[in-house]
Every structure is written in C-alpha cells, then in structure tokens.
Amino acid sequence: MATEPAQAAEAYHPRPMGGPWGLKISGIGAALPEKVLTNADLTAWMDTSDEWIRERTGIGERRIGGSTSGLSTEAAQLALADAGVEASEIDQVILATTSPDHICPGTAPAVARELGILAGAFDLQAACSGWVYGLIVANGLLLQGMDKILVIGAETLDRITDYHDRGTGILFGNGAGAAVVERDTTGAGQLLSWDMGSNGNYVHILYADHGDVLQMDGKEVFRQAVTVMQRSATAAMDRAGLTADDIDLIIPHQANIRIVEAAWKRLGFDMDRTAMVLERTGNTSAASIPLALDHALSENRVEPGSTVMFLGFGAGMTWACAIVRWAG
Ligand code: COA
C-alpha cells in the first residue's frame, strides 16, 4: 500500500555543494524471494542435469518470484539499518535494473516512496554492469555535494526468462542488493579508480524484445565476457597504479564460474580472493555484485583499508570496474 512520505518531504533539504569528499559503503542489504528453483526442479521439464549445470556454470539453484520494487525496498531497508542512516537523509536513489516493474515509469520512484524518500530517484539500465555503473555515478554525485546515496541492484529476471530454454533457463534468477554510499570526510575511503565501457556491436548476443524473453548466444557471450573483464580490470588497475597482488578482494558479476576462472587466469587473480554467491543465486544481473558483497561482509572478508574491486559485464555489451579503498 502506498504511503505518503510527508515526513521525508519535511526532512529533505538539498545540501550545500562541495567540501571534502571520499566514498564509503556504510551499509549493505540483500533480499531474495523465498521460492527456490533448483537444478533438480528444472530436470522435470528440461533435458538437463544438476551435474551438467553445476559443471558448466557453477549454479546450483536460483530464486524466482517477488517484484523488482519489493525486493529493492527490502534490500534498501536492510542497508539503511546497517548504515544507521534514516531514509530522510538519503539524497538520491539509483536503481540499477534490467527488469523494472514497468516500462514507464521507472521503478526507483516507487522504491523511494515505499522508503519515505522524496529525493531524486532514477533507474539505470546497463544490464549486469548496472550496479557498478551506479556506484561510479554515485561517486560523481558525492563530488557534487551529496552526502548519502542508495545504490540498488535488483532484478526479477523470471519475467523475461524461458525456463524451458536450455541455454538461458539454467542461468537466471531474482534478487536485490542495496548499498548506502556516503561521502567520507575522513578521506580514508576512496573510489581509487574506475572504468566503464560499452560496445553496441554486440547487442544481438544477449537481448530481450518488448514482451519477449531473453535471447542469448551463450558461446559468444562467454568469449566477450572474458575479454572485457580482463580489459576493464587492467584499465582500472593501471589508472590506480595497482597490480593484481594489491587487490584484497574481487567481487565479479556472478554469471558463470568458468567465465570468472578464465578471466582470472589472464589477470593473475585467484579464487581465494574472490567473492562468489552464484551457486545459490544463479545470475541475478544487476543484483549479483551487491549480493556477493553482502555475503563477503557477512564473512568478514573486508576490513578497513582493504582494496576491493567490483567487476561487471553484461548485455549491451557493457562493462565496468570500480576499485575502492574500504573506509574504517
Ligand atoms: N543441459 C544439458 N546439456 C546441455 C545444456 C543443458 N542446459 N545446454 C546445452 N547442452 C548440451 C548441448 O546440447 C551440447 O551437446 P552436444 O555436445 O552433444 O552437442 C553440449 O551440451 C554443449 O553445448 P553448448 O551450447 O556448446 O554449451 P556451452 O558449453 O556453451 O554452455 C552455456 C552453455 C549457456 C552454459 C555457456 O555458453 C555460458 O554460460 N555462456 C555465458 C552465458 C552468460 O553468462 N550469460 C549472461 C551474461 S551476463
């Protein structure tokens, strides 16, 4: 049921521009719908097996159900509580999604309404790279004087996935991850470097038309994904003056474990320094990186001063890499 954000309307004031700035992720939240679709479930109607899917993708199960706005709201509430930040303090809501509730309007305003936020709210469509794009955009808004920004990645891919298709039906699932991204006035937390790119010549290898399901050339997506992950991570590390050994934790887009392993071989990364949740979520597109970050934080894999790399790629093609020095 919609609520009138009267309190937020009173509480929200644009803040003065400028001042010292750095970036810190002060809170994180994750939401997954309850309904689990296991590999074994898929074998009831598809010529496949749990063994094949696990070996070729690393996926054991995925979640279905829920709405993009509902999952976003749930994840954002957890992130706000984790950060100890009131909704009324949020200056901007960025919702990265490729499966919005409606074609128009965006889903972000509905999420903001549920949270009691009247600040700006917009959807960002960069497919599976979306949350990393959002983090980089948020850093720019902090530079312009904002203090606290919600960066959400959320998907209900079950609405555009044919679970009878052996290529795509084994991969995609629903979920949401949200982060409170704040200006860090101590300067300890920083976005050290970033890289964003796209190549529209590859639209045809992964797309969904209006009213239709995802179409994919799996082999070509695999090839391109390995190439752009290597290129983007290398560009970001070069800009920050870092090498593979300097990165404490890498949080890649969770699409296929074999894509990650192939890219890591070229980059000199190892799986011990990699956060993965793919096995129990499948590919949740824009939600996958914040979901993996949430899990990594729950296992205390990030500490003050850690150098964390977020590395995304997806339909478009798009890709993005952000290297963050974790705040205290
Ligand atoms: N279950 C069982 N067997 C399957 C299968 C399935 N779901 N899908 C394909 N096969 C079979 C094929 O029929 C083929 O059999 P054959 O050798 O007897 O002809 C064999 O497995 C290999 O098929 P292929 O299509 O070459 O599989 P693949 O190794 O390319 O794996 C993907 C398919 C989809 C798992 C893989 O291409 C992939 O993950 N690509 C990247 C997709 C991705 O990450 N997309 C999102 C990006 S954001």
Side-chain angles (χ1 to χ4, degrees), residues 222-292:
F222 194 115
R223 266 194 293 272
Q224 293 301 326
V226 173
T227 302
V228 300
M229 281 176 106
Q230 180 194 11
R231 197 187 300 151
S232 195
T234 303
M237 286 191 292
D238 285 352
R239 281 173 203 151
L242 299 172
T243 67
D245 289 342
D246 298 318
I247 311 296
D248 298 308
L249 186 70
I250 312 127
I251 308 186
H253 170 47
Q254 316 275 307
N256 181 323
I257 190 80
R258 291 193 305 133
I259 292 178
V260 175
E261 287 167 351
W264 273 205
K265 230 180 244 170
R266 297 179 179 195
L267 281 159
F269 292 156
D270 51 69
M271 293 306 287
D272 289 349
R273 288 182 291 151
T274 306
M276 298 298 299
V277 287
L278 177 71
E279 198 269 333
R280 64 182 182 90
T281 61
N283 181 342
T284 57
S285 192
S288 89
I289 289 178
L291 282 172

Coordinates of all heavy atoms in Angstrom, one line a residue, residues 222-292:
F222 N 30.2 -15.7 -23.6 CA 31.3 -16.2 -22.8 C 32.6 -15.6 -23.2 O 33.4 -15.1 -22.4 CB 31.3 -17.8 -22.9 CG 32.2 -18.5 -21.9 CD1 31.6 -19.3 -21.0 CD2 33.5 -18.3 -21.9 CE1 32.4 -20.0 -20.0 CE2 34.3 -19.0 -21.0 CZ 33.7 -19.8 -20.0
R223 N 32.8 -15.7 -24.6 CA 34.1 -15.2 -25.1 C 34.3 -13.7 -24.8 O 35.3 -13.3 -24.3 CB 34.1 -15.4 -26.6 CG 34.8 -16.7 -27.1 CD 35.1 -16.6 -28.6 NE 33.8 -16.6 -29.4 CZ 33.2 -17.8 -29.8 NH1 33.7 -18.9 -29.4 NH2 32.1 -17.7 -30.5
Q224 N 33.2 -12.9 -25.1 CA 33.3 -11.5 -24.9 C 33.5 -11.1 -23.5 O 34.2 -10.2 -23.1 CB 32.0 -10.8 -25.5 CG 31.9 -10.9 -27.0 CD 33.1 -10.2 -27.7 OE1 33.7 -9.3 -27.3 NE2 33.5 -10.8 -28.8
A225 N 32.8 -11.9 -22.6 CA 32.8 -11.6 -21.1 C 34.3 -11.7 -20.6 O 34.7 -10.8 -19.9 CB 31.9 -12.5 -20.4
V226 N 34.9 -12.8 -21.0 CA 36.3 -13.0 -20.6 C 37.2 -11.8 -21.0 O 38.0 -11.2 -20.3 CB 36.9 -14.3 -21.1 CG1 38.3 -14.5 -20.7 CG2 36.1 -15.5 -20.4
T227 N 37.0 -11.4 -22.3 CA 37.8 -10.3 -22.9 C 37.6 -9.0 -22.2 O 38.6 -8.3 -21.8 CB 37.5 -10.2 -24.4 OG1 37.7 -11.4 -25.0 CG2 38.3 -9.1 -25.0
V228 N 36.3 -8.6 -22.0 CA 36.1 -7.3 -21.4 C 36.4 -7.3 -19.9 O 36.8 -6.2 -19.4 CB 34.6 -6.8 -21.7 CG1 34.4 -6.7 -23.2 CG2 33.6 -7.6 -21.0
M229 N 36.2 -8.4 -19.2 CA 36.6 -8.4 -17.8 C 38.1 -8.1 -17.7 O 38.6 -7.3 -16.8 CB 36.3 -9.7 -17.1 CG 34.8 -9.9 -16.8 SD 34.6 -11.5 -16.1 CE 34.4 -11.2 -14.4
Q230 N 38.9 -8.8 -18.5 CA 40.3 -8.6 -18.5 C 40.7 -7.2 -18.8 O 41.5 -6.5 -18.1 CB 41.0 -9.5 -19.5 CG 42.5 -9.4 -19.4 CD 43.3 -10.0 -20.6 OE1 42.6 -10.4 -21.6 NE2 44.6 -10.1 -20.5
R231 N 40.1 -6.6 -19.9 CA 40.4 -5.3 -20.3 C 40.0 -4.2 -19.3 O 40.8 -3.3 -19.0 CB 39.6 -5.0 -21.6 CG 40.2 -3.8 -22.4 CD 39.3 -3.5 -23.6 NE 39.2 -4.6 -24.5 CZ 38.1 -4.8 -25.3 NH1 37.1 -4.0 -25.2 NH2 38.1 -5.8 -26.1
S232 N 38.8 -4.4 -18.7 CA 38.3 -3.4 -17.8 C 39.1 -3.4 -16.4 O 39.5 -2.3 -15.9 CB 36.8 -3.6 -17.5 OG 36.3 -2.5 -16.9
A233 N 39.4 -4.6 -15.9 CA 40.1 -4.7 -14.7 C 41.5 -4.1 -14.9 O 42.1 -3.4 -14.0 CB 40.2 -6.2 -14.2
T234 N 42.1 -4.4 -16.0 CA 43.5 -4.0 -16.3 C 43.5 -2.4 -16.4 O 44.4 -1.8 -15.8 CB 44.0 -4.6 -17.6 OG1 44.0 -6.0 -17.4 CG2 45.5 -4.2 -17.9
A235 N 42.5 -1.9 -17.1 CA 42.5 -0.4 -17.2 C 42.3 0.3 -15.8 O 43.0 1.2 -15.5 CB 41.3 0.0 -18.1
A236 N 41.5 -0.3 -15.0 CA 41.2 0.3 -13.7 C 42.5 0.2 -12.8 O 42.9 1.1 -12.1 CB 40.0 -0.3 -13.0
M237 N 43.1 -1.0 -12.8 CA 44.3 -1.2 -12.0 C 45.4 -0.2 -12.5 O 46.1 0.4 -11.7 CB 44.8 -2.6 -12.1 CG 43.9 -3.6 -11.2 SD 44.6 -5.2 -11.0 CE 44.6 -5.9 -12.7
D238 N 45.6 -0.1 -13.8 CA 46.6 0.8 -14.3 C 46.4 2.2 -13.9 O 47.3 2.9 -13.5 CB 46.6 0.8 -15.9 CG 47.3 -0.5 -16.4 OD1 47.8 -1.3 -15.6 OD2 47.2 -0.8 -17.6
R239 N 45.1 2.7 -13.9 CA 44.8 4.0 -13.5 C 45.1 4.3 -12.0 O 45.5 5.4 -11.6 CB 43.3 4.4 -13.8 CG 43.1 4.7 -15.3 CD 41.7 4.8 -15.6 NE 41.5 4.6 -17.0 CZ 40.4 4.1 -17.6 NH1 39.3 3.8 -16.8 NH2 40.4 3.9 -18.9
A240 N 45.0 3.2 -11.2 CA 45.2 3.4 -9.8 C 46.6 3.1 -9.4 O 47.0 3.2 -8.3 CB 44.3 2.5 -9.0
G241 N 47.4 2.6 -10.4 CA 48.8 2.3 -10.1 C 48.9 1.0 -9.3 O 49.8 0.8 -8.4
L242 N 48.0 0.1 -9.5 CA 47.9 -1.2 -8.7 C 48.2 -2.4 -9.6 O 48.0 -2.3 -10.8 CB 46.5 -1.3 -8.1 CG 46.1 -0.2 -7.1 CD1 44.6 -0.4 -6.7 CD2 46.9 -0.2 -5.8
T243 N 48.6 -3.5 -9.0 CA 48.7 -4.7 -9.7 C 47.8 -5.7 -9.1 O 47.2 -5.5 -8.0 CB 50.2 -5.3 -9.6 OG1 50.4 -5.7 -8.3 CG2 51.2 -4.3 -10.1
A244 N 47.7 -6.9 -9.7 CA 46.8 -7.9 -9.2 C 47.0 -8.3 -7.8 O 46.1 -8.5 -7.0 CB 46.9 -9.2 -10.1
D245 N 48.3 -8.2 -7.4 CA 48.6 -8.6 -6.0 C 48.1 -7.6 -5.0 O 48.0 -7.9 -3.8 CB 50.1 -8.7 -5.8 CG 50.7 -9.9 -6.5 OD1 49.8 -10.8 -6.8 OD2 51.9 -10.0 -6.8
D246 N 47.8 -6.4 -5.4 CA 47.3 -5.3 -4.5 C 45.9 -5.4 -4.2 O 45.4 -4.7 -3.3 CB 47.6 -3.9 -5.1 CG 49.1 -3.7 -5.3 OD1 49.9 -4.0 -4.4 OD2 49.4 -3.1 -6.4
I247 N 45.1 -6.2 -4.9 CA 43.7 -6.3 -4.7 C 43.4 -7.4 -3.7 O 43.7 -8.5 -3.8 CB 42.9 -6.7 -6.1 CG1 43.4 -5.8 -7.2 CG2 41.4 -6.6 -5.9 CD1 43.1 -4.3 -7.1
D248 N 42.7 -7.0 -2.6 CA 42.5 -7.9 -1.5 C 41.2 -8.8 -1.8 O 41.2 -9.9 -1.4 CB 42.2 -7.1 -0.2 CG 43.5 -6.4 0.2 OD1 44.6 -7.0 0.3 OD2 43.4 -5.1 0.4
L249 N 40.2 -8.2 -2.4 CA 39.0 -9.0 -2.7 C 38.4 -8.5 -4.0 O 38.3 -7.3 -4.2 CB 38.0 -8.8 -1.5 CG 36.7 -9.6 -1.7 CD1 37.0 -11.1 -1.4 CD2 35.6 -9.2 -0.7
I250 N 38.1 -9.5 -4.8 CA 37.5 -9.2 -6.1 C 36.0 -9.7 -6.1 O 35.8 -10.8 -5.7 CB 38.2 -9.8 -7.3 CG1 39.7 -9.6 -7.2 CG2 37.7 -9.3 -8.6 CD1 40.6 -10.8 -7.2
I251 N 35.1 -8.8 -6.5 CA 33.7 -9.1 -6.5 C 33.2 -9.0 -7.9 O 32.9 -7.9 -8.4 CB 32.9 -8.3 -5.5 CG1 33.6 -8.3 -4.1 CG2 31.4 -8.7 -5.5 CD1 32.8 -7.6 -3.0
P252 N 33.2 -10.1 -8.7 CA 32.9 -10.1 -10.1 C 31.4 -10.3 -10.2 O 30.7 -10.9 -9.3 CB 33.6 -11.3 -10.6 CG 33.7 -12.3 -9.5 CD 33.7 -11.5 -8.2
H253 N 30.9 -9.9 -11.4 CA 29.5 -10.3 -11.8 C 29.4 -11.8 -11.7 O 30.2 -12.5 -12.3 CB 29.1 -9.7 -13.1 CG 27.9 -10.3 -13.7 ND1 26.7 -10.3 -12.9 CD2 27.5 -10.8 -14.9 CE1 25.7 -10.8 -13.6 NE2 26.2 -11.1 -14.8
Q254 N 28.3 -12.3 -11.1 CA 28.1 -13.7 -10.9 C 27.3 -14.3 -12.1 O 26.1 -14.4 -12.0 CB 27.4 -14.0 -9.6 CG 27.9 -13.1 -8.5 CD 29.0 -13.7 -7.8 OE1 29.0 -14.9 -7.4 NE2 30.1 -13.0 -7.6
A255 N 28.0 -14.6 -13.2 CA 27.3 -15.2 -14.4 C 27.6 -16.7 -14.6 O 26.7 -17.5 -14.8 CB 27.7 -14.4 -15.6
N256 N 28.9 -17.0 -14.5 CA 29.3 -18.4 -14.8 C 30.7 -18.5 -14.1 O 31.6 -17.7 -14.5 CB 29.3 -18.6 -16.3 CG 29.7 -20.0 -16.7 OD1 30.6 -20.6 -16.0 ND2 29.1 -20.5 -17.7
I257 N 30.8 -19.5 -13.3 CA 32.1 -19.7 -12.6 C 33.3 -19.9 -13.6 O 34.4 -19.4 -13.4 CB 32.1 -20.9 -11.6 CG1 33.3 -20.9 -10.7 CG2 31.9 -22.2 -12.3 CD1 33.2 -20.0 -9.6
R258 N 33.0 -20.5 -14.8 CA 34.0 -20.7 -15.8 C 34.5 -19.4 -16.4 O 35.6 -19.3 -16.8 CB 33.6 -21.8 -16.8 CG 33.4 -23.2 -16.2 CD 33.3 -24.2 -17.3 NE 32.2 -23.9 -18.2 CZ 32.2 -23.9 -19.5 NH1 33.3 -24.3 -20.1 NH2 31.1 -23.6 -20.2
I259 N 33.6 -18.5 -16.6 CA 33.9 -17.1 -17.1 C 34.9 -16.5 -16.2 O 36.0 -16.0 -16.6 CB 32.7 -16.2 -17.3 CG1 31.8 -16.8 -18.5 CG2 33.1 -14.8 -17.6 CD1 30.5 -16.0 -18.7
V260 N 34.6 -16.5 -14.9 CA 35.5 -15.9 -13.9 C 36.8 -16.6 -13.9 O 37.9 -16.0 -13.9 CB 34.8 -16.0 -12.5 CG1 35.8 -15.5 -11.4 CG2 33.5 -15.2 -12.4
E261 N 36.8 -17.9 -13.9 CA 38.1 -18.7 -13.8 C 39.0 -18.4 -15.1 O 40.2 -18.2 -15.0 CB 37.9 -20.2 -13.8 CG 37.4 -20.6 -12.4 CD 36.8 -22.0 -12.3 OE1 36.6 -22.6 -13.4 OE2 36.5 -22.5 -11.2
A262 N 38.3 -18.3 -16.2 CA 39.1 -18.0 -17.5 C 39.7 -16.6 -17.4 O 40.8 -16.4 -17.8 CB 38.2 -18.1 -18.7
A263 N 38.9 -15.6 -16.9 CA 39.4 -14.2 -16.9 C 40.5 -14.1 -15.8 O 41.5 -13.4 -16.0 CB 38.2 -13.3 -16.5
W264 N 40.3 -14.8 -14.7 CA 41.3 -14.8 -13.6 C 42.7 -15.3 -14.0 O 43.7 -14.8 -13.6 CB 40.8 -15.5 -12.4 CG 39.9 -14.8 -11.4 CD1 39.8 -15.1 -10.1 CD2 39.1 -13.7 -11.7 NE1 38.9 -14.2 -9.5 CE2 38.4 -13.4 -10.4 CE3 38.8 -12.9 -12.8 CZ2 37.5 -12.3 -10.3 CZ3 37.8 -11.9 -12.7 CH2 37.3 -11.6 -11.4
K265 N 42.6 -16.3 -14.9 CA 43.9 -16.9 -15.4 C 44.7 -15.8 -16.2 O 45.9 -15.7 -16.0 CB 43.6 -18.1 -16.4 CG 44.3 -19.3 -16.1 CD 44.0 -20.4 -17.1 CE 43.3 -21.6 -16.3 NZ 42.7 -22.6 -17.2
R266 N 44.0 -15.0 -16.9 CA 44.6 -13.9 -17.7 C 45.1 -12.8 -16.8 O 46.1 -12.1 -17.1 CB 43.7 -13.4 -18.8 CG 43.3 -14.4 -19.8 CD 42.3 -13.7 -20.8 NE 41.9 -14.6 -21.8 CZ 41.3 -14.1 -22.9 NH1 41.1 -12.8 -23.1 NH2 40.9 -15.0 -23.8
L267 N 44.3 -12.6 -15.7 CA 44.6 -11.4 -14.9 C 45.5 -11.7 -13.7 O 46.0 -10.7 -13.1 CB 43.2 -10.9 -14.3 CG 42.4 -10.0 -15.2 CD1 40.9 -10.0 -14.8 CD2 42.9 -8.6 -15.4
G268 N 45.8 -13.0 -13.4 CA 46.6 -13.3 -12.3 C 45.9 -13.2 -11.0 O 46.5 -13.1 -9.9
F269 N 44.6 -13.2 -11.0 CA 43.8 -13.3 -9.7 C 43.6 -14.7 -9.3 O 43.7 -15.6 -10.1 CB 42.4 -12.7 -10.0 CG 42.4 -11.2 -10.2 CD1 41.3 -10.6 -10.9 CD2 43.4 -10.3 -9.8 CE1 41.2 -9.2 -11.2 CE2 43.3 -9.0 -10.1 CZ 42.3 -8.4 -10.8
D270 N 43.3 -14.9 -8.0 CA 43.0 -16.3 -7.6 C 41.6 -16.3 -7.0 O 41.1 -15.3 -6.5 CB 44.1 -16.9 -6.7 CG 44.4 -15.9 -5.6 OD1 43.5 -15.8 -4.7 OD2 45.5 -15.4 -5.6
M271 N 41.0 -17.5 -6.9 CA 39.7 -17.7 -6.4 C 39.6 -17.5 -4.9 O 38.5 -17.1 -4.4 CB 39.1 -19.1 -6.8 CG 38.9 -19.3 -8.3 SD 37.8 -18.0 -9.1 CE 36.2 -18.4 -8.4
D272 N 40.7 -17.6 -4.2 CA 40.7 -17.4 -2.8 C 40.4 -15.9 -2.4 O 39.9 -15.7 -1.3 CB 42.1 -17.7 -2.2 CG 42.4 -19.2 -2.2 OD1 41.4 -19.9 -2.4 OD2 43.5 -19.6 -1.9
R273 N 40.7 -15.0 -3.3 CA 40.4 -13.6 -3.1 C 39.1 -13.2 -3.8 O 39.0 -12.0 -4.1 CB 41.6 -12.8 -3.6 CG 42.8 -12.9 -2.7 CD 43.9 -12.0 -3.2 NE 44.5 -12.4 -4.4 CZ 45.0 -11.7 -5.4 NH1 45.0 -10.4 -5.2 NH2 45.5 -12.2 -6.5
T274 N 38.2 -14.1 -4.1 CA 37.1 -13.8 -4.9 C 35.8 -14.1 -4.2 O 35.7 -15.1 -3.5 CB 37.1 -14.6 -6.2 OG1 38.4 -14.4 -6.9 CG2 36.0 -14.3 -7.2
A275 N 34.8 -13.2 -4.2 CA 33.6 -13.4 -3.5 C 32.6 -14.0 -4.5 O 32.3 -13.4 -5.6 CB 33.0 -12.1 -3.0
M276 N 32.0 -15.1 -4.2 CA 31.0 -15.8 -5.1 C 29.8 -16.2 -4.3 O 29.9 -16.7 -3.2 CB 31.6 -17.0 -5.7 CG 32.9 -16.8 -6.6 SD 32.6 -15.8 -8.1 CE 31.4 -16.8 -9.0
V277 N 28.6 -15.9 -4.9 CA 27.3 -16.4 -4.4 C 26.5 -17.1 -5.4 O 25.4 -17.5 -5.2 CB 26.4 -15.3 -3.7 CG1 27.0 -14.8 -2.4 CG2 26.2 -14.2 -4.7
L278 N 27.1 -17.3 -6.6 CA 26.5 -17.8 -7.8 C 25.8 -19.1 -7.5 O 24.7 -19.4 -8.0 CB 27.6 -18.0 -8.9 CG 27.2 -18.6 -10.2 CD1 26.3 -17.6 -11.0 CD2 28.5 -18.9 -11.0
E279 N 26.4 -20.0 -6.7 CA 25.9 -21.3 -6.6 C 24.5 -21.3 -6.0 O 23.6 -22.1 -6.5 CB 26.8 -22.1 -5.6 CG 26.7 -23.6 -5.6 CD 25.7 -24.1 -4.6 OE1 25.4 -23.4 -3.6 OE2 25.1 -25.2 -4.9
R280 N 24.1 -20.4 -5.2 CA 22.8 -20.4 -4.6 C 21.9 -19.2 -5.1 O 20.7 -19.2 -4.7 CB 22.8 -20.3 -3.1 CG 23.4 -19.1 -2.5 CD 23.5 -19.1 -1.0 NE 24.1 -17.8 -0.6 CZ 23.3 -16.8 -0.3 NH1 22.0 -16.8 -0.3 NH2 23.9 -15.7 0.1
T281 N 22.4 -18.4 -6.1 CA 21.5 -17.3 -6.6 C 21.3 -17.4 -8.1 O 20.4 -16.8 -8.6 CB 22.2 -15.9 -6.3 OG1 23.4 -15.9 -7.0 CG2 22.3 -15.6 -4.9
G282 N 22.2 -18.1 -8.8 CA 22.2 -18.0 -10.3 C 22.7 -16.6 -10.7 O 23.2 -15.9 -9.8
N283 N 22.4 -16.3 -11.9 CA 22.8 -15.0 -12.4 C 21.7 -14.0 -12.2 O 20.6 -14.1 -12.8 CB 23.1 -15.1 -14.0 CG 23.5 -13.7 -14.6 OD1 23.3 -12.7 -14.0 ND2 24.1 -13.8 -15.7
T284 N 21.9 -13.1 -11.3 CA 20.9 -12.1 -10.9 C 21.2 -10.7 -11.5 O 20.8 -9.7 -11.0 CB 20.7 -11.9 -9.4 OG1 22.0 -11.6 -8.8 CG2 20.2 -13.2 -8.7
S285 N 21.9 -10.7 -12.6 CA 22.3 -9.5 -13.3 C 22.7 -8.3 -12.4 O 23.7 -8.5 -11.7 CB 21.1 -9.1 -14.2 OG 21.4 -8.1 -15.1
A286 N 22.0 -7.2 -12.4 CA 22.5 -6.0 -11.7 C 22.5 -6.3 -10.1 O 23.2 -5.5 -9.4 CB 21.6 -4.8 -11.9
A287 N 21.9 -7.3 -9.7 CA 21.9 -7.6 -8.2 C 23.1 -8.4 -7.8 O 23.4 -8.5 -6.6 CB 20.6 -8.3 -7.8
S288 N 23.8 -9.0 -8.7 CA 24.7 -10.1 -8.4 C 25.9 -9.5 -7.6 O 26.3 -10.2 -6.6 CB 25.2 -10.8 -9.6 OG 26.3 -10.3 -10.2
I289 N 26.4 -8.4 -7.9 CA 27.6 -7.9 -7.2 C 27.3 -7.4 -5.8 O 28.0 -7.8 -4.9 CB 28.3 -6.8 -8.1 CG1 29.0 -7.5 -9.3 CG2 29.4 -6.0 -7.3 CD1 29.7 -6.6 -10.3
P290 N 26.2 -6.6 -5.6 CA 25.9 -6.3 -4.2 C 25.5 -7.5 -3.4 O 25.7 -7.5 -2.2 CB 24.7 -5.3 -4.3 CG 24.2 -5.4 -5.7 CD 25.3 -5.8 -6.5
L291 N 24.9 -8.5 -4.0 CA 24.6 -9.7 -3.2 C 25.9 -10.4 -2.8 O 26.0 -10.9 -1.7 CB 23.7 -10.7 -4.1 CG 22.3 -10.4 -4.2 CD1 21.6 -11.3 -5.3 CD2 21.5 -10.5 -2.9
A292 N 26.9 -10.5 -3.7 CA 28.1 -11.1 -3.3 C 28.9 -10.2 -2.3 O 29.6 -10.8 -1.4 CB 29.0 -11.3 -4.6

